[in-house]
PDB file of all heavy atoms in Angstrom:
ATOM      1  N   GLN A 694       6.465  24.593   4.928  1.00  0.00           N
ATOM      2  CA  GLN A 694       7.269  24.552   6.144  1.00  0.00           C
ATOM      3  C   GLN A 694       8.588  25.274   5.908  1.00  0.00           C
ATOM      4  O   GLN A 694       9.479  24.765   5.223  1.00  0.00           O
ATOM      5  CB  GLN A 694       7.535  23.112   6.590  1.00  0.00           C
ATOM      6  CG  GLN A 694       8.250  23.030   7.933  1.00  0.00           C
ATOM      7  CD  GLN A 694       8.491  21.603   8.393  1.00  0.00           C
ATOM      8  OE1 GLN A 694       8.445  20.667   7.604  1.00  0.00           O
ATOM      9  NE2 GLN A 694       8.740  21.424   9.692  1.00  0.00           N
ATOM     10  N   GLN A 713     -10.957  24.834   1.752  1.00  0.00           N
ATOM     11  CA  GLN A 713     -10.469  25.720   2.807  1.00  0.00           C
ATOM     12  C   GLN A 713      -9.093  26.228   2.401  1.00  0.00           C
ATOM     13  O   GLN A 713      -8.307  25.494   1.803  1.00  0.00           O
ATOM     14  CB  GLN A 713     -10.383  25.019   4.165  1.00  0.00           C
ATOM     15  CG  GLN A 713     -10.016  25.960   5.308  1.00  0.00           C
ATOM     16  CD  GLN A 713     -10.125  25.312   6.665  1.00  0.00           C
ATOM     17  OE1 GLN A 713     -10.582  24.184   6.801  1.00  0.00           O
ATOM     18  NE2 GLN A 713      -9.719  26.031   7.685  1.00  0.00           N
ATOM     19  N   THR A 755     -15.120  15.363   8.510  1.00  0.00           N
ATOM     20  CA  THR A 755     -14.605  16.332   9.475  1.00  0.00           C
ATOM     21  C   THR A 755     -14.462  15.714  10.858  1.00  0.00           C
ATOM     22  O   THR A 755     -14.197  16.408  11.818  1.00  0.00           O
ATOM     23  CB  THR A 755     -15.541  17.551   9.593  1.00  0.00           C
ATOM     24  OG1 THR A 755     -16.844  17.102   9.983  1.00  0.00           O
ATOM     25  CG2 THR A 755     -15.639  18.295   8.280  1.00  0.00           C
ATOM     26  N   LEU A 756     -14.653  14.414  10.974  1.00  0.00           N
ATOM     27  CA  LEU A 756     -14.489  13.784  12.276  1.00  0.00           C
ATOM     28  C   LEU A 756     -13.135  14.145  12.869  1.00  0.00           C
ATOM     29  O   LEU A 756     -12.147  14.256  12.157  1.00  0.00           O
ATOM     30  CB  LEU A 756     -14.589  12.272  12.151  1.00  0.00           C
ATOM     31  CG  LEU A 756     -15.985  11.699  11.883  1.00  0.00           C
ATOM     32  CD1 LEU A 756     -15.897  10.203  11.672  1.00  0.00           C
ATOM     33  CD2 LEU A 756     -16.929  12.035  13.018  1.00  0.00           C
ATOM     34  N   GLN A 761      -4.289  13.093   9.017  1.00  0.00           N
ATOM     35  CA  GLN A 761      -3.643  13.492   7.773  1.00  0.00           C
ATOM     36  C   GLN A 761      -2.276  12.820   7.711  1.00  0.00           C
ATOM     37  O   GLN A 761      -1.457  12.952   8.613  1.00  0.00           O
ATOM     38  CB  GLN A 761      -3.513  15.014   7.707  1.00  0.00           C
ATOM     39  CG  GLN A 761      -4.869  15.711   7.627  1.00  0.00           C
ATOM     40  CD  GLN A 761      -4.773  17.199   7.401  1.00  0.00           C
ATOM     41  OE1 GLN A 761      -3.736  17.732   7.013  1.00  0.00           O
ATOM     42  NE2 GLN A 761      -5.876  17.901   7.625  1.00  0.00           N
TER      43      GLN A 761
ATOM     44  N   TYR B 759       3.349  14.412  15.562  1.00  0.00           N
ATOM     45  CA  TYR B 759       4.053  13.927  14.391  1.00  0.00           C
ATOM     46  C   TYR B 759       5.555  13.959  14.662  1.00  0.00           C
ATOM     47  O   TYR B 759       6.051  14.817  15.403  1.00  0.00           O
ATOM     48  CB  TYR B 759       3.764  14.813  13.162  1.00  0.00           C
ATOM     49  CG  TYR B 759       2.389  14.647  12.577  1.00  0.00           C
ATOM     50  CD1 TYR B 759       1.303  15.376  13.069  1.00  0.00           C
ATOM     51  CD2 TYR B 759       2.170  13.785  11.498  1.00  0.00           C
ATOM     52  CE1 TYR B 759       0.039  15.238  12.517  1.00  0.00           C
ATOM     53  CE2 TYR B 759       0.913  13.647  10.931  1.00  0.00           C
ATOM     54  CZ  TYR B 759      -0.151  14.371  11.441  1.00  0.00           C
ATOM     55  OH  TYR B 759      -1.394  14.235  10.890  1.00  0.00           O
ATOM     56  N   GLN B 761       9.280  14.186  12.649  1.00  0.00           N
ATOM     57  CA  GLN B 761       9.888  14.553  11.380  1.00  0.00           C
ATOM     58  C   GLN B 761      11.390  14.312  11.437  1.00  0.00           C
ATOM     59  O   GLN B 761      12.144  15.123  11.967  1.00  0.00           O
ATOM     60  CB  GLN B 761       9.597  16.020  11.026  1.00  0.00           C
ATOM     61  CG  GLN B 761      10.048  16.397   9.624  1.00  0.00           C
ATOM     62  CD  GLN B 761       9.671  17.811   9.228  1.00  0.00           C
ATOM     63  OE1 GLN B 761       9.787  18.744  10.020  1.00  0.00           O
ATOM     64  NE2 GLN B 761       9.188  17.987   7.998  1.00  0.00           N
ATOM     65  N   ARG B 817      -6.582  20.129  15.519  1.00  0.00           N
ATOM     66  CA  ARG B 817      -7.589  20.424  14.508  1.00  0.00           C
ATOM     67  C   ARG B 817      -8.965  20.369  15.154  1.00  0.00           C
ATOM     68  O   ARG B 817      -9.388  19.325  15.644  1.00  0.00           O
ATOM     69  CB  ARG B 817      -7.515  19.423  13.366  1.00  0.00           C
ATOM     70  CG  ARG B 817      -8.402  19.782  12.188  1.00  0.00           C
ATOM     71  CD  ARG B 817      -8.202  18.801  11.045  1.00  0.00           C
ATOM     72  NE  ARG B 817      -8.686  17.476  11.406  1.00  0.00           N
ATOM     73  CZ  ARG B 817      -9.964  17.091  11.352  1.00  0.00           C
ATOM     74  NH1 ARG B 817     -10.894  17.939  10.983  1.00  0.00           N
ATOM     75  NH2 ARG B 817     -10.295  15.871  11.689  1.00  0.00           N
ATOM     76  N   ILE B 819     -13.014  20.072  15.235  1.00  0.00           N
ATOM     77  CA  ILE B 819     -13.814  19.111  14.484  1.00  0.00           C
ATOM     78  C   ILE B 819     -14.389  19.690  13.213  1.00  0.00           C
ATOM     79  O   ILE B 819     -14.562  18.986  12.222  1.00  0.00           O
ATOM     80  CB  ILE B 819     -14.924  18.508  15.369  1.00  0.00           C
ATOM     81  CG1 ILE B 819     -15.574  17.303  14.661  1.00  0.00           C
ATOM     82  CG2 ILE B 819     -15.953  19.556  15.739  1.00  0.00           C
ATOM     83  CD1 ILE B 819     -16.495  16.511  15.544  1.00  0.00           C
ATOM     84  N   ASP B 821     -13.060  22.068  11.362  1.00  0.00           N
ATOM     85  CA  ASP B 821     -12.006  22.714  10.591  1.00  0.00           C
ATOM     86  C   ASP B 821     -11.264  21.634   9.819  1.00  0.00           C
ATOM     87  O   ASP B 821     -11.281  20.462  10.206  1.00  0.00           O
ATOM     88  CB  ASP B 821     -11.061  23.448  11.531  1.00  0.00           C
ATOM     89  CG  ASP B 821     -10.247  24.529  10.840  1.00  0.00           C
ATOM     90  OD1 ASP B 821     -10.234  24.562   9.599  1.00  0.00           O
ATOM     91  OD2 ASP B 821      -9.615  25.340  11.549  1.00  0.00           O
TER      92      ASP B 821
END
Side-chain angles (χ1 to χ4, degrees):
Chain A
Q694 186 179 18
Q713 186 172 354
T755 58
L756 288 175
Q761 294 187 16
Chain B
Y759 287 86
Q761 188 176 42
R817 188 176 67 81
I819 191 170
D821 200 348

